[in-house]
Amino acid sequence: MKIAFLGPHASFTQLATAQLFPNEELLPQANILDCFNAVEKGEVDKAVVPLENSIEGTVSMTLDYLYKTSLIKIEAEAVMPIAHHLMIHPDNNANEIEKIYSHPQALAQSFHFLDTNYKEVQRQDFSSTAAAAKYISEHPELKRAAVANQFAANLYGLKIINRNIQDFEQNHTRFIIISKRNDIYNNDKLEVIGEKSGLLITLPEDHAGGLHQVLSVFAWRKMNLSKIESRTLKTGLGNYFFYINVAGKWDAVLHENALEELKSINANVDFLGNYKEFLLES
């Protein structure tokens, strides 16, 4: 089975993917859109992409592509503790850093450390933490540093000069497995920490009480919503879709009736699946 992931090698997403699919062929992709396209076109069976970070919040690109690619569903979620390190090429010195590279989420998650210790050093976004580390390894002539993980430092032969620079100790990233198969993912070697369902809901029109009307469908049935987030439809100001998580198992009668009631009020509903949430190692 072929599994795409947000690469390159040594990215946090690869570390998550390797735990979820230890015996499958893992194929790195340059960006999140490439992961979705690879699944949609049938080039891979599944893909693993980041969905949310406990410090920086939702990865908006993942949420947008979930909405745009209606055939793609979620098979599982996985939560992994995140540790960021600042690293340089072994030929360079820590006091000569002129620029720091990393994924924008990693830079944001380490903002206070970098602002305190490297305030005058410019920061530049990269497609992933691993891509930043790879670039540093390939350009020893540049006085650059990267924010990435221990595996990236080992893989690309970099020297870590500051460890655990994330601003908050409880830094976790939530990943999702996406596919077109509607498979149920299980892994006896990983701890299950929850179960939920994912829904994308679009209101028929912007009117007073519209969102309340949608939420009441879940409220009177005592369906616990563990997450609700709005994202712009990019069709004009005030136009949104909503990403909702319903905690617990999906009841074939009660919950299906909820979907029917949502449709009766002309809400557009995309059911992403009912799936387990697993805990990964850092």
Side-chain angles (χ1 to χ4, degrees), residues 1 39 45-46 66 69-76 177-186 198 270-275:
M1 192 161 52
V39 173
D45 299 282
K46 310 175 194 294
L66 278 173
T69 50
S70 59
L71 294 178
I72 289 181
K73 307 301 178 184
I74 298 176
E75 288 190 9
I177 302 172
I178 58 172
S179 77
K180 295 194 297 183
R181 295 185 172 188
N182 289 324
D183 289 344
I184 297 177
Y185 175 87
N186 280 301
D270 183 6
F271 181 69
L272 297 174
N274 177 253
Y275 42 85

Side-chain angles (χ1 to χ4, degrees), residues 52-59 104-111 171:
E52 182 181 14
N53 177 262
S54 58
I55 298 175
E56 286 303 301
T58 299
V59 180
Q105 287 250 345
L107 293 175
Q109 292 161 27
S110 310
F111 174 82
N171 185 14

Side-chain angles (χ1 to χ4, degrees), residues 131-244:
K134 185 174 185 290
Y135 185 86
I136 298 300
S137 71
E138 294 171 345
H139 295 84
E141 74 281 2
L142 301 178
K143 309 300 181 182
R144 304 288 191 261
V147 176
N149 58 49
Q150 178 73 60
F151 186 43
N154 296 342
L155 180 64
Y156 297 117
L158 301 182
K159 179 172 66 175
I160 294 177
I161 56 175
N162 296 106
R163 291 184 176 274
N164 298 313
I165 66 172
Q166 62 274 7
D167 294 328
F168 298 93
E169 183 177 348
Q170 294 300 321
N171 185 14
H172 294 77
T173 293
R174 188 186 312 278
F175 300 89
I176 54 174
I177 302 172
I178 58 172
S179 77
K180 295 194 297 183
R181 295 185 172 188
N182 289 324
D183 289 344
I184 297 177
Y185 175 87
N186 280 301
N187 191 323
D188 295 337
K189 296 182 179 180
L190 298 176
E191 179 184 351
V192 178
I193 56 176
E195 188 170 348
K196 64 182 66 173
S197 300
L199 301 172
L200 295 171
I201 299 176
T202 309
L203 303 182
E205 59 182 15
D206 184 18
H207 64 275
L211 180 57
H212 178 270
Q213 192 176 16
V214 168
L215 296 180
S216 66
V217 171
F218 302 102
W220 78 263
R221 289 179 172 85
K222 297 182 179 180
M223 296 168 67
N224 181 28
L225 303 186
S226 58
K227 182 182 181 65
I228 176 170
E229 181 167 348
S230 63
R231 282 290 297 164
T232 176
L233 286 169
K234 299 177 177 60
T235 57
L237 291 174
N239 298 328
Y240 300 94
F241 70 88
F242 297 89
Y243 174 62
I244 291 177

